[in-house]
Amino acid sequence: MDALYTAQATSTGGGRDGHVRSTDGFVDLDVATPKELGGAGGATNPEQLFAAGYAACFHSALQSVARREGTEIAGSSVRAEVGIGPDGDGGFGLTVALHVELERVDRAVADALVAGAHQVCPYSNATRGNLDVDITSSVR
């Protein structure tokens, strides 16, 4: 694959309890281990950053598929939930759940758009076969 864009970011100061910064400076954040994992909390963490990236990327894929199909999805949203926990082999694994909300489309159209987005989204393609992604959708 020839990359059209490459993002770069660097972690300093201790990984989960440190700082991350992209080369362009748009991401410039302290990170902290969540209280639920025994840390102090009080800053973003890798799971939140992954959830934000996946939600935005999947939403973009959803909009692209909808445009291709000639379907208007103004007012749509995608919420990503990324969980972390022991994987049973001494390491840690992730869980992902995507919640898609669409307005003014029927259920069959919504299901087709979500399935199409899951096929073209780079995050979905990267995680496929590595972790289960649970996708639910609702129509308002």
Side-chain angles (χ1 to χ4, degrees), residues 1-87:
M1 178 189 85
D2 290 327
L4 300 175
Y5 169 76
T6 301
Q8 297 178 34
T10 302
S11 169
T12 58
R16 286 186 165 275
D17 293 300
H19 194 84
V20 293
R21 185 175 191 286
S22 61
T23 53
D24 61 12
F26 289 122
V27 174
D28 193 358
L29 303 166
D30 288 334
V31 290
T33 302
K35 290 181 181 181
E36 295 84 350
L37 295 178
T44 194
N45 58 66
E47 292 71 37
Q48 288 176 334
L49 296 171
F50 185 63
Y54 204 158
C57 191
F58 194 90
H59 199 192
S60 183
L62 182 69
Q63 291 169 333
S64 176
V65 170
R67 270 192 308 277
R68 184 181 69 214
E69 298 298 320
T71 303
E72 176 61 45
I73 61 166
S76 62
S77 66
V78 176
R79 184 179 79 248
E81 298 175 6
V82 175
I84 185 171
D87 67 4

